[in-house]
Amino acid sequence: MKAVICGGGIAGLGLARCLGDRAWDVVVLEKAPALRTQGYMIDFFGPGYTAAEELGLRPRLHELGYDVDELRYVDEHGHRRAGMTYATLNRAVGGRLISIMRPDLERALYESLPTRVDVRFGTTLKSVDGDASGAAVTLDDGTRLDADVVVGADGVHSAVRRLAFTSGADGSAATAEDDDERHVRHLGFHTAAFIFDDAEIHAACRGSFVLTDTTDRQMGFYALRDGRVAAFAVHRTADPGLPGDPREALRKEYGGLGWVVPRALRACPPGDEVYYDQVAQTEVPCWSRGRVTLVGDACYAVSLLAGQGASLGLAGARVLAEQLAEEPSVTTALRRYEDQWRPVVTEKQHAARQGVRWFLPRTQGELRARRLALRAARLPGVGRYLASALTGKSRGIFGGG
Ligand SMILES: Cc1cc2nc3c(=O)[nH]c(=O)nc-3n(C[C@H](O)[C@H](O)[C@H](O)COP(=O)(O)OP(=O)(O)OC[C@H]3O[C@@H](n4cnc5c(N)ncnc54)[C@H](O)[C@@H]3O)c2cc1C
């Protein structure tokens, strides 16, 4: 059996690994020229952690991961205002948590691929065909690849979804804007991440994830083991449109925050080295068309508000591979994958939307409420409850349903 997967991120590489292990021939098309090095720190736990463990990746991920002591919010002078130990978060998920840079997780998956997986960097597709009897893609250089199944694992702005799932007014494939309008739900924020050199900021953040305690916009920093600093930013905006120059947009949006923020913005690399996107969820009414299907952010992005997209990307890929391996009919396997996995991600998407206020307070009152909640987290029992809410194990504490 043969699969063509578009997208070599966590979901795509995870699926390639799972299908390769089951003796499928797999081609992965990845538009980036090599493994992506840009990225941000993720907390990896939940079903993806279990999937990684079953794939034998746990030791490697812990080796690449970071020991974070504390999540710390600071004022404009860098003084601690509130925080929570990572041990509390870790306990809430039964000690099964890794803080790891997203590119390192992708690297671990890539390194583990069986030889029958052919990853083609610098390659994308220009069309997708598929019905119940077969599927094929045409690459940007005109090459045609036939397959038993074609999978779009190409993220929130998926080309496979646009080409195979969205029609323009005249029946032709839709534009990216049409597709976004139909399948991407903007949650009211933009987010960015970049990596820079600064020994002083590195020393100030070592061992902790340090965030500004601010309303409507927030920047966070963590020290990487190679001596550089990774920055993460999020701000509220009703506009889903992305700026032409992300670095300029960041300087304008965050320049007024105190502490080390202006200095970090001066060290920010050029726009093409900055990760910048809207914070969004994807919702696709049916995840498969014939033998073309979607996985990960392409069809069920939960957004960084849920903090579990990578985990769900890998775990969903595993569910998809299991169904394809067990069920002789590809279309039945695709239906079973969606039946099994959609309820899980729908629940996480809902929880993420409920947590918007907690994630980035709007007012000084909300900010104070967050500080008080974090202070209360030191009390026995409360910390575990709060950490469970943060990690999505329970809802309800900050407006959750
Ligand atoms: C700031 C931030 C913090 C986050 N924190 C967490 C966290 O703590 N925990 C967690 O679990 N998740 C977190 N997430 C979410 C997580 O990173 C994503 O959900 C996850 O990376 C999605 O993986 P994916 O493989 O589905 O998509 P992507 O990571 O978007 O990968 C898609 C891949 O497809 C490639 N591609 C795109 N278009 C094409 C094309 N046309 N042709 C070929 N290739 C293409 C891309 O280059 C990319 O390699 C966070 C996200 C952000 C932005």
Side-chain angles (χ1 to χ4, degrees):
M1 299 288 274
K2 180 167 179 178
V4 173
I5 301 169
C6 179
I10 291 158
L13 293 173
L15 181 63
R17 163 69 199 273
C18 294
L19 288 176
D21 283 353
R22 289 166 173 79
W24 279 53
D25 291 316
V26 183
V27 178
V28 179
L29 312 173
E30 169 53 53
K31 72 175 178 187
L35 278 178
R36 295 179 299 168
T37 52
Q38 253 183 22
Y40 38 83
M41 190 73 87
I42 60 175
D43 288 325
F44 190 67
F45 58 93
Y49 187 100
T50 304
E53 196 168 40
E54 285 164 4
L55 293 172
L57 292 174
R58 193 176 126 148
R60 180 67 174 140
L61 295 186
H62 277 281
E63 193 185 324
L64 292 168
Y66 285 80
D67 289 326
V68 183
D69 296 332
E70 187 189 36
L71 173 74
R72 181 162 82 238
Y73 291 96
V74 299
D75 66 14
E76 60 277 22
H77 306 293
H79 298 140
R80 187 181 190 284
R81 263 190 181 157
M84 177 188 267
T85 65
Y86 253 72
T88 310
L89 288 175
N90 205 1
R91 270 198 301 278
V93 290
R96 298 163 63 77
L97 167 74
I98 305 174
S99 297
I100 185 169
M101 290 295 283
R102 197 214 54 216
D104 287 340
L105 177 51
E106 290 177 351
R107 176 147 66 101
L109 284 165
Y110 178 76
E111 285 167 357
S112 82
L113 293 177
T115 48
R116 62 191 318 133
V117 176
D118 171 12
V119 182
R120 302 191 189 174
F121 288 106
T123 309
T124 187
L125 43 73
K126 60 180 185 196
S127 69
V128 184
D129 300 306
D131 55 24
S133 58
V137 298
T138 306
L139 306 187
D140 44 358
D141 66 359
T143 312
R144 183 183 155 98
L145 298 178
D146 292 305
D148 295 289
V149 63
V150 169
V151 185
D154 46 352
V156 168
H157 307 288
S158 166
V160 173
R161 191 183 66 220
R162 173 174 56 79
L163 291 166
F165 290 69
T166 320
S167 309
D170 59 356
S172 61
T175 61
E177 290 73 25
D178 286 341
D179 181 68
D180 272 12
E181 205 170 290
R182 268 175 247 181
H183 297 128
V184 178
R185 180 203 282 247
H186 177 58
L187 295 182
F189 305 92
H190 283 186
T191 184
F194 61 91
I195 296 175
F196 64 101
D197 271 310
D198 189 309
E200 215 172 290
I201 301 180
H202 189 273
C205 301
R206 200 194 307 262
S208 299
F209 182 20
V210 190
L211 291 145
T212 63
D213 191 38
T214 37
T215 54
D216 285 336
R217 57 190 56 70
Q218 183 172 58
M219 263 187 108
F221 302 94
Y222 27 85
L224 300 181
R225 63 171 64 86
D226 66 3
R228 294 182 301 161
V229 181
F232 151 81
V234 62
H235 70 271
R236 210 176 277 282
T237 169
D239 182 3
L242 302 179
D245 182 346
R247 177 168 63 176
E248 208 34 57
L250 287 175
R251 287 180 175 164
K252 210 165 121 210
E253 194 61 48
Y254 297 87
L257 297 184
W259 187 43
V260 296
V261 172
R263 190 168 154 157
L265 291 172
R266 281 195 297 278
C268 177
D272 56 349
E273 292 174 41
V274 176
Y275 166 87
Y276 193 109
D277 204 353
Q278 64 181 133
V279 175
Q281 295 185 336
T282 48
E283 290 170 341
V284 183
C286 181
W287 292 352
S288 304
R289 290 265 167 107
R291 288 172 177 240
V292 182
T293 194
L294 302 168
V295 70
D297 276 9
C299 60
Y300 58 77
V302 290
S303 85
L304 70 94
L305 300 191
Q308 290 197 52
S311 173
L312 297 169
L314 182 57
R318 191 160 164 78
V319 170
L320 173 56
E322 269 164 9
Q323 293 297 347
L324 285 168
E326 280 167 20
E327 177 52 56
S329 156
V330 170
T331 48
T332 306
L334 298 183
R335 187 168 40 75
R336 290 194 173 164
Y337 147 64
E338 181 165 349
D339 287 349
Q340 186 179 338
W341 200 237
R342 185 185 277 277
V344 176
V345 296
T346 302
E347 200 271 339
K348 302 285 182 210
Q349 289 187 320
H350 178 76
R353 292 196 296 273
Q354 297 295 318
V356 165
R357 262 194 316 157
W358 162 250
F359 177 72
L360 184 58
R362 255 177 217 277
T363 62
Q364 289 299 322
E366 287 180 4
L367 205 56
R368 274 196 298 276
R370 182 170 72 181
R371 274 181 225 140
L372 285 175
L374 287 165
R375 219 163 284 156
R378 290 189 216 134
L379 302 173
V382 181
R384 207 170 47 243
Y385 184 52
L386 180 58
S388 296
L390 280 170
T391 52
K393 281 188 80 189
S394 77
R395 292 187 276 135
I397 172 166
F398 294 104

